[in-house]
Amino acid sequence: MDTSTIVILDFGSQYTQLIARRIREFNVFSVVLPCTTSLDEIRALKPKGIILSGGPSSVYDGDAPAADPAVLAMGAPVLGICYGLQFITHHLGGKVESAPAREYGHAQVSVVAETPLFRGLPQTMDVWMSHGDEAKALPEGFRLTAKTSNAVAGIADEARGIWAVQFHPEVAHTRQGMELLKNFCLEICGAKQDWTPEHFIQSTVEGIRRQVGDGHAICGLSGGVDSSVAAVLVAKAIGDRLTCIFVNNGVLRKDEFAKVQRTMREGLGLNVVAVDAGERFLTKLAGVTDPEQKRKIIGNEFIAVFDDEAARIVAAEKGAGEEVAWLVQGTLYPDVIESSSVHGPSHTIKSHHNVGGLPADMKLKLIEPLRDLFKDEVRRIGRDLGMPAEILERQPFPGPGLAVRILGEVTADRVTLLQEADDIVVSEIKAAGLYRKVWQSFAVLLPVKSVGVMGDQRTYAYTCAIRAVESEDGMTADWAPLPYEVLRTISSRIVSEVRGINRVVYDITSKPPGTIEWE
């Protein structure tokens, strides 16, 4: 990227992605790397500044995650956060010990020395702490810049271009956290605010044109935000030399197969090959109740269907003397981060792939135009591309579709039941003006039947659970306190209109300990 870059070295903090997001909010590009990243890789990014994240370990433990201490002498300004402060202290000759009074949650910090990092901030700040260790002795050349009643809260050696704070400026609970990060990135590092949707679109489209040349590309389209924006970006670069494949896996939402085709062709002008493979998927799912097995069956079958269609496209283009050499994926930055590890390859959080198992003789090369973006940034890019709101505002939908919202065996009848119930949930959430305010809202079909009374007759039918959560990125979530009237309407409509469901319950479990999806 031809932009000012702030490099964030990840020591395992749950807030590391949040640091990157906060910096991008004032249009400065940031990139998260494992703390084990080599100096050469860091230098290649020509960083304007380096941030050392927090982390759950004690810096003096033998297996504590560690960066090359030489990163502190690269010449770029450094900001340590929480564990980052302790790493700086420990590796530059200071002393870090277990704190007699650990600090977790809200705390008050007093600024005790003037420094560019705290410029314009109040002398006393409400911050968020999360540490059990503290700096007991500072390295030579460092001075105390802030403190709490219990411990060191800020240090600096401005001659070496190093600042550090014990609290977390990236979380909302630290009220002046954005101003502190802005002071570091803009004032201390001199980063330019050139990370904009317009710049991203222009540079990405030019890059794809150079990459693909006169070649062709294919894209597995889901109808969701990520794959749709990725497809539009690539189509902007290479036009009708992009072919999108949209597969009906039998567990899409009500009328989604037709709606997505119409939107993609008419609304976005994409070249879409639609494959109705619903029966093929449901046959493979027959008798299967284990959630992980469902996911694997759907994933493997999708790849098989995709391979079949991709092979046809490749054969057709070869007949025309052209070559299909590229596969477009909607990989996002959280996927990239989670595929890395602060401890190295053996402790990778997850190996990310959107489409795997492609035949070796296809030799497809990847185009991942969104791999530097977070979800909210993808939506901003989509708006600047003029994409319809109905796509960009769509709530996340799981890859295995309704199969992980049908507990127990997935059958055609049960899919139809859930499609009808889910359609009622979504339509009523939208009618109440809540669709954009919640992260996800949907119905779940339980393998539980109960007795009911309808029209003076006894019924024995399924139970449906309603799930609605609030979240920023899906990594954590709180159950959404939907208005009683909305819940009442949803429940009444489902029981009245969906023959086969006679009881509706509301899920009030947060993540953690629960997950957003039931399976």
Side-chain angles (χ1 to χ4, degrees), residues 368-387:
E368 297 176 307
L370 309 179
R371 65 179 286 114
D372 288 325
L373 302 183
F374 290 101
K375 191 81 167 187
D376 55 332
E377 293 173 322
V378 172
R379 289 192 167 104
R380 284 174 61 196
I381 296 300
R383 283 193 290 271
D384 276 40
L385 286 167
M387 293 175 63

Side-chain angles (χ1 to χ4, degrees), residues 308-365:
D308 290 346
E309 295 305 315
R312 289 192 186 99
I313 294 168
V314 170
E317 295 300 340
K318 281 182 178 176
E322 302 290 349
E323 180 188 6
V324 176
W326 301 91
L327 172 64
V328 180
Q329 293 192 136
T331 308
L332 299 192
Y333 198 42
D335 301 322
V336 177
I337 294 172
E338 289 178 359
S339 296
S340 304
S341 167
V342 299
H343 294 288
S346 61
H347 289 78
T348 296
I349 298 168
K350 73 172 184 179
S351 296
H352 172 77
H353 63 279
N354 284 334
V355 179
L358 294 171
D361 60 355
M362 285 181 64
K363 298 186 175 67
L364 291 174
K365 294 170 280 189

Side-chain angles (χ1 to χ4, degrees), residues 1-10 16-34 37 41-53 71 74-81 117 161 163 169-170 178 180-195 333 337 372 374 377:
M1 283 296 177
D2 182 24
T3 56
S4 292
T5 300
I6 301 293
V7 167
I8 302 161
L9 295 184
D10 179 22
T16 301
Q17 288 194 34
L18 196 52
I19 301 172
R21 291 172 66 91
R22 292 291 181 252
I23 292 171
R24 292 183 181 197
E25 284 176 22
F26 37 87
N27 295 332
V28 173
F29 182 62
S30 57
V31 58
V32 177
L33 300 175
T37 302
E41 289 178 83
I42 297 172
R43 285 195 188 100
L45 293 169
K46 301 177 182 177
K48 289 286 189 179
I50 296 169
I51 294 178
L52 311 181
S53 84
V71 76
M74 281 180 55
V78 174
L79 172 63
I81 294 175
L117 191 65
W163 289 260
E170 68 273 24
M178 283 292 285
L180 186 151
L181 290 172
K182 190 176 287 188
N183 281 344
F184 177 72
C185 296
L186 303 187
E187 304 302 325
I188 293 174
C189 299
K192 294 179 181 177
Q193 294 173 281
D194 52 10
W195 176 246
Y333 198 42
I337 294 172
D372 288 325
F374 290 101
E377 293 173 322

Side-chain angles (χ1 to χ4, degrees), residues 90-161:
H90 181 73
H91 285 280
L92 292 182
K95 191 172 185 181
V96 177
E97 295 180 350
S98 178
R102 297 183 297 173
E103 294 178 316
Y104 295 99
H106 293 282
Q108 274 205 333
V109 161
S110 298
V111 176
V112 297
E114 288 188 10
T115 167
L117 191 65
F118 295 145
R119 187 165 293 145
L121 304 185
Q123 291 297 110
T124 302
M125 294 185 288
D126 292 323
V127 303
W128 186 259
M129 289 283 194
S130 182
H131 69 103
D133 293 335
E134 64 175 334
K136 295 294 288 185
L138 302 188
E140 186 176 347
F142 279 78
R143 60 181 176 135
L144 183 70
T145 59
K147 65 179 183 178
T148 67
S149 57
N150 297 314
V152 169
I155 62 174
D157 183 341
E158 293 175 18
R160 278 193 274 190

Side-chain angles (χ1 to χ4, degrees), residues 209 217 231-243 269-271:
R209 282 181 184 144
V232 170
L233 271 171
V234 176
K236 190 176 178 67
I238 65 173
D240 60 7
R241 286 182 287 123
L242 170 69
T243 302
L270 295 173
N271 176 23

Side-chain angles (χ1 to χ4, degrees), residues 140-313:
E140 186 176 347
F142 279 78
R143 60 181 176 135
L144 183 70
T145 59
K147 65 179 183 178
T148 67
S149 57
N150 297 314
V152 169
I155 62 174
D157 183 341
E158 293 175 18
R160 278 193 274 190
I162 302 175
W163 289 260
V165 292
Q166 187 59 65
F167 54 91
H168 288 273
E170 68 273 24
V171 303
H173 300 295
T174 299
R175 293 182 182 174
Q176 286 81 28
M178 283 292 285
E179 287 85 349
L180 186 151
L181 290 172
K182 190 176 287 188
N183 281 344
F184 177 72
C185 296
L186 303 187
E187 304 302 325
I188 293 174
C189 299
K192 294 179 181 177
Q193 294 173 281
D194 52 10
W195 176 246
T196 64
E198 181 183 5
H199 178 276
F200 173 84
I201 292 169
Q202 182 180 347
S203 60
T204 301
V205 167
E206 290 172 358
I208 292 169
R209 282 181 184 144
R210 287 194 300 270
Q211 251 187 315
V212 177
D214 295 328
H216 282 63
I218 57 175
C219 175
L221 206 58
S222 70
V225 177
D226 307 335
S227 65
S228 300
V229 174
V232 170
L233 271 171
V234 176
K236 190 176 178 67
I238 65 173
D240 60 7
R241 286 182 287 123
L242 170 69
T243 302
C244 299
I245 302 173
F246 177 46
V247 178
N248 177 15
N249 58 11
V251 284
L252 298 175
R253 284 175 162 168
K254 183 179 178 180
D255 300 330
E256 190 167 28
F257 188 52
K259 287 178 181 175
V260 169
Q261 289 183 65
R262 185 167 57 250
T263 302
M264 296 298 151
R265 290 188 180 120
E266 298 174 11
L268 301 180
L270 295 173
N271 176 23
V272 179
V273 173
V275 185
D276 191 349
E279 288 187 17
R280 177 171 170 174
F281 279 83
L282 291 176
T283 299
K284 293 282 186 179
L285 289 167
V288 177
T289 59
D290 179 72
E292 192 60 25
Q293 196 177 350
K294 288 182 193 177
R295 288 179 177 273
K296 287 179 179 177
I297 288 171
I298 291 171
N300 291 338
E301 196 61 20
F302 173 81
I303 290 166
V305 173
F306 185 86
D307 287 352
D308 290 346
E309 295 305 315
R312 289 192 186 99
I313 294 168

Side-chain angles (χ1 to χ4, degrees), residues 251 281-291 293-294 297-298 402-418 445-448 462 519:
V251 284
F281 279 83
L282 291 176
T283 299
K284 293 282 186 179
L285 289 167
V288 177
T289 59
D290 179 72
Q293 196 177 350
K294 288 182 193 177
I297 288 171
I298 291 171
L402 298 181
V404 292
R405 295 177 181 174
I406 296 173
L407 275 63
E409 185 181 6
V410 179
T411 65
D413 289 343
R414 299 186 80 198
V415 169
T416 300
L417 274 182
L418 184 55
L445 188 65
L446 306 185
V448 174
Y462 285 110
E519 290 191 341

